[in-house]
């Protein structure tokens, strides 16, 4: 397994599956930082011509998005996760870090008993379906903030994002990448703790720094509320 390096000046090969608001804006920022980005969506690379011309990213089929990638971002509706091609991560780099940005919205995604009845966290459910552990990040981030709210490391108004996952090496890579993007990070624990940043929790959509994000994670309840109960 080779060591995945990240930091200022390090160029990474990154695959992004999903070109909606989050996926599109991550494509814009990551290419602007000099990373080599491949981007895919369910409608095919021919629909990504404008984004590719704007950013320099390479549009590819979903089956090829992870080829050689050190980081893969899965940013699709939760209901679409089971439809991802089997083995789509097979060609990724050793030790690939897979970022899950997804959220479960019952009205959109339908009833998922493993989450609603068995208490599976959303990202644990996603990891089981794709056959690879994931790092939960960006799920409560406003897409436009990725473009507009990045700040230097010591800026007083720098936002912090929660990051959860079981693979500590992959989590370090993802946290470093987020910091490179211009945001602080807070370790939110493992995947079984990632309910603390699911929709309806205090940290979801919170635009604050490290102290406030840490406090919001501590104040979370595992009970699903409102429209997120299903």
């Amino acid at each position: 397994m080779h060591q995945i390096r990240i930091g200022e000046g390090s160029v990474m090969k990154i695959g992004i599956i999903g070109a909606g608001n989050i996926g599109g804006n991550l494509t814009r920022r990551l290419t602007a930082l000099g990373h080599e980005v491949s981007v895919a969506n369910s409608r095919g690379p021919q629909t990504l011509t404008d984004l590719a011309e704007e950013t320099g990213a390479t549009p590819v089929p979903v089956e090829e998005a992870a080829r050689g990638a050190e980081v893969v971002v899965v940013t699709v509706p939760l209901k679409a996760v089971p439809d991802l091609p089997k083995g789509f991560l097979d060609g990724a780099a050793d030790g690939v870090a897979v970022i899950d940005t997804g959220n479960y919205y019952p009205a959109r995604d339908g009833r998922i008993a493993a989450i609603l009845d068995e208490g599976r966290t959303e990202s644990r459910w996603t990891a089981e379906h794709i056959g690879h552990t994931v790092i939960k990040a960006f799920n409560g981030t406003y897409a436009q903030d990725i473009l507009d709210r990045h700040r230097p490391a010591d800026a007083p108004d720098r936002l912090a994002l929660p990051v959860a996952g079981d693979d500590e090496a992959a989590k370090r890579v993802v946290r470093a990448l987020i910091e490179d993007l211009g945001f602080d990070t807070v370790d939110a624990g493992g995947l079984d703790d990632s309910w603390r940043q699911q929709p309806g929790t205090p940290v979801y959509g919170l635009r604050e720094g490290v102290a406030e994000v840490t406090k919001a994670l501590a104040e979370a309840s595992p009970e699903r509320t409102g429209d997120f109960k299903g």
Side-chain angles (χ1 to χ4, degrees):
M1 237 179 236
H2 75 275
Q3 180 70 33
I4 295 176
R5 293 181 298 172
I6 179 65
E8 190 173 348
S10 296
V11 175
M12 303 188 77
K13 186 170 176 56
I14 299 172
I16 298 178
I17 299 174
N21 293 332
I22 293 286
N25 285 352
L26 283 174
T27 298
R28 292 178 176 94
R29 282 288 292 137
L30 290 167
T31 52
L33 290 171
H35 297 293
E36 183 182 342
V37 177
S38 295
V39 61
N41 67 6
S42 61
R43 295 179 297 137
Q46 71 280 357
T47 67
L48 296 170
T49 302
D50 290 346
L51 182 62
E53 290 179 351
E54 175 192 345
T55 64
T58 302
V60 295
V62 174
E63 293 84 351
E64 297 178 17
R67 186 173 297 169
E70 297 159 293
V71 173
V72 174
V73 183
V74 177
T75 180
V76 301
L78 207 71
K79 65 181 179 180
V81 168
D83 299 327
L84 290 170
K86 184 175 175 58
F88 73 95
L89 291 169
D90 289 352
D94 291 340
V96 62
V98 180
I99 299 175
D100 168 34
T101 77
N103 292 304
Y104 177 39
Y105 302 121
R108 179 195 67 186
D109 299 314
R111 181 172 181 79
I112 299 177
I115 295 173
L116 293 178
D117 301 333
E118 300 168 27
R120 196 96 85 255
T121 62
E122 298 167 6
S123 286
R124 175 72 69 194
W125 183 87
T126 294
E128 291 170 356
H129 272 280
I130 69 174
H132 195 285
T133 195
V134 300
I135 306 299
K136 189 176 189 71
F138 297 109
N139 72 293
T141 305
Y142 292 97
Q144 195 62 33
D145 286 354
I146 294 170
L147 298 183
D148 296 343
R149 298 289 292 269
H150 54 90
R151 298 289 187 270
D154 296 325
D157 61 342
R158 182 154 143 133
L159 304 182
L161 309 185
V163 180
D166 296 338
D167 183 333
E168 291 300 323
K171 189 189 286 185
R172 284 193 297 273
V173 170
V174 172
R175 293 182 71 181
L177 184 62
I178 292 171
E179 287 158 13
D180 196 32
L181 282 164
F183 302 90
D184 288 329
T185 61
V186 175
D187 191 332
L191 284 189
D192 290 335
D193 304 310
S194 63
W195 55 267
R196 293 183 180 277
Q197 65 194 79
Q198 290 178 173
T201 60
V203 83
Y204 182 76
L206 184 66
R207 288 164 153 157
E208 294 290 352
V210 169
E212 293 83 357
V213 167
T214 301
K215 180 174 182 286
L217 288 167
E219 293 174 345
S221 166
E223 297 298 319
R224 301 182 72 88
T225 60
D227 293 339
F228 309 118
K229 289 173 67 174

